[in-house]
């Protein structure tokens, strides 16, 4: 038996993580290049802005894929397992790119200062800029939780029911990401060419989730 077919970790690295690494970084590079050309802004001070947008788009795509796998399986009348390597590995890369987006975004406006989330008195900001960032902070905390859970040890330790209940925080993550993204479209007065891809991607995910839930309820009623 070869190493590739006999070692699950090596197989996941070769078949999952390397393609996800190449695809994610290629997409980020292409988006960053397009933003640099579209904005005509290759100055160093625009680097974090472009990187924030590029990583945000890629993280959103991976999140929609992760959330859509279960609904897609329901629509295909296919049983959805508690955990699969593909879904978990896509989620891992979604988390890693999301962390990169968080760091890049924090550097766009305030260079890692705490006023990004709080007032000078360390009170939570409720203006539209602070609210958007606070929602992003809550989202990244959920991302960190889900990343910690994305391994066989956590699944064995917590058992399937408890592990799955914690994993369902990814739906709350989806809502936070939608709110955070929409607020930033308004804050930065972004053009339609930047808003439309995000809106279409979110709409696709919402429709697929709705269809999956409708189909699941129909199946439950027929049992």
């Amino acid at each position: 038996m070869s190493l590739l077919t006999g070692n699950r970790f090596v197989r996941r690295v070769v078949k999952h993580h390397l393609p996800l690494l190449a695809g994610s970084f290629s997409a980020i590079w292409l988006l960053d290049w397009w933003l640099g050309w579209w904005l005509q802004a290759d100055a160093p001070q625009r680097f974090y802005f472009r990187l924030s947008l590029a990583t945000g788009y890629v993280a959103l795509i991976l999140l929609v894929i992760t959330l859509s796998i279960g609904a897609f399986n329901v629509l295909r009348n296919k049983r959805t397992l508690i955990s699969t390597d593909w879904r978990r590995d896509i989620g891992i890369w979604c988390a890693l790119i999301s962390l990169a987006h968080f760091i890049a975004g924090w550097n766009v406006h305030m260079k890692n200062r705490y006023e990004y989330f709080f007032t000078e008195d360390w009170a939570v900001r409720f203006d539209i800029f602070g609210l958007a960032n606070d929602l992003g902070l809550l989202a990244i905390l959920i991302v960190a939780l889900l990343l910690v859970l994305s391994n066989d040890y956590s699944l064995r330790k917590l058992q399937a029911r408890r592990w799955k209940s914690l994993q369902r925080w990814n739906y709350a993550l989806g809502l936070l990401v939608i709110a955070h993204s929409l607020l930033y479209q308004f804050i930065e007065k972004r053009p339609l060419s930047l808003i439309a891809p995000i809106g279409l991607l979110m709409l696709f995910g919402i429709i697929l989730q709705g269809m999956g839930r409708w189909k699941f309820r129909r199946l439950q009623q027929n049992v």
Side-chain angles (χ1 to χ4, degrees), residues 3-196:
L3 182 64
L4 181 59
T5 57
N7 189 304
R8 177 166 168 257
F9 173 77
V10 174
R11 186 167 65 248
R12 284 177 65 186
V13 168
V14 173
K15 292 187 175 182
H16 297 179
H17 289 289
L18 289 180
L20 286 167
L21 169 66
S24 297
F25 276 75
S26 296
I28 290 171
W29 181 84
L30 286 171
L31 284 167
D32 180 72
W33 172 84
W34 177 76
L35 288 164
W37 171 82
W38 186 82
L39 296 169
Q40 295 296 305
D42 290 323
Q45 61 266 28
R46 304 296 288 174
F47 169 76
Y48 282 115
F49 176 71
R50 300 199 320 262
L51 182 62
S52 174
L53 284 179
T55 52
Y57 277 118
V58 174
L60 180 60
I61 292 170
L62 293 173
L63 178 61
V64 169
I65 293 173
T66 303
L67 292 175
S68 298
I69 289 174
F72 188 64
N73 285 338
V74 171
L75 293 174
R76 295 172 59 205
N77 294 319
K78 186 177 180 180
R79 182 188 174 195
T80 301
L81 301 176
I82 293 294
S83 176
T84 64
D85 287 344
W86 254 121
R87 188 175 188 180
R88 193 189 301 178
D89 293 341
I90 294 171
I92 288 172
W93 279 97
C94 175
L96 294 175
I97 303 299
S98 297
L99 288 168
H101 170 70
F102 178 77
I103 294 169
W106 199 354
N107 275 276
V108 171
H109 297 284
M110 291 190 172
K111 304 299 181 185
N112 297 320
R113 290 167 56 189
Y114 71 89
E115 291 94 337
Y116 201 62
F117 310 103
F118 306 102
T119 66
E120 293 182 357
D121 299 325
W122 286 94
V124 176
R125 294 183 59 166
F126 287 105
D127 59 299
I128 188 170
F129 179 72
L131 182 60
N133 296 329
D134 291 336
L135 291 174
L137 179 61
L138 287 174
I140 210 66
L141 292 175
I142 295 176
V143 164
L145 170 66
L146 296 175
L147 183 59
V148 169
L149 293 174
S150 295
N151 54 77
D152 292 337
Y153 174 79
S154 296
L155 180 57
R156 289 194 302 268
K157 192 73 175 178
L158 295 171
Q159 301 298 318
R161 185 185 295 272
R162 186 182 301 175
W163 186 86
K164 190 63 178 179
S165 67
L166 290 172
Q167 279 289 325
R168 288 196 176 97
W169 275 97
N170 57 14
Y171 295 104
L173 172 63
L175 294 176
L176 289 171
V177 168
I178 289 174
H180 169 78
S181 300
L182 293 179
L183 285 174
Y184 255 100
Q185 309 312 306
F186 178 78
I187 290 169
E188 297 186 342
K189 297 180 173 59
R190 292 176 182 169
L192 183 62
S193 57
L194 291 181
I195 297 174

